[in-house]
Amino acid sequence: MKNLKRISALIVLMAFVISCACMKDKNTISGKVESVEFGKDGYTAKINTDKNEVYFATISIVNVGGPEHYKLLKQGDEVSLKGEFWKTDTEKHIKVKEIVSVK
């Protein structure tokens, strides 16, 4: 009986670890910067992903955690961004919390 509880606990733990690992990249997009439009507190970059999806990425100093994490993206940059997704009727958006990489 004790072994059955241990095995059950191990299975639950493994399922949790696997589900967390799978969810890790669900809030991340990667793609190419098509355009950049500047606003009051930052800018919005139009990102075209490898799957031909278009996202409008809102990037500000406050949302990325300060000036040390803020980067100015340029048209043609290959980027990976992490943040919170939201949609309108016709557009996909991401409020960027982390600029993972820029090439």
Side-chain angles (χ1 to χ4, degrees), residues 74-93:
K74 301 180 303 259
Q75 185 176 359
D77 284 346
E78 291 287 334
V79 297
S80 182
L81 307 170
K82 188 180 286 190
E84 298 172 8
F85 292 100
W86 57 281
K87 293 181 183 181
T88 65
D89 289 337
T90 59
E91 298 174 338
K92 297 177 184 177
H93 295 261

Side-chain angles (χ1 to χ4, degrees), residues 31-38 43-47 57-59 69-81 96 98-103:
K32 186 176 183 179
V33 178
E34 296 295 319
S35 64
V36 177
E37 194 171 312
F38 292 93
Y43 61 95
T44 300
K46 183 178 177 181
I47 310 295
T58 303
I59 302 169
H69 303 291
Y70 184 79
K71 295 177 185 163
L72 185 58
L73 303 181
K74 301 180 303 259
Q75 185 176 359
D77 284 346
E78 291 287 334
V79 297
S80 182
L81 307 170
V96 176
E98 180 182 348
I99 300 172
V100 179
S101 69
V102 180
K103 295 178 189 173

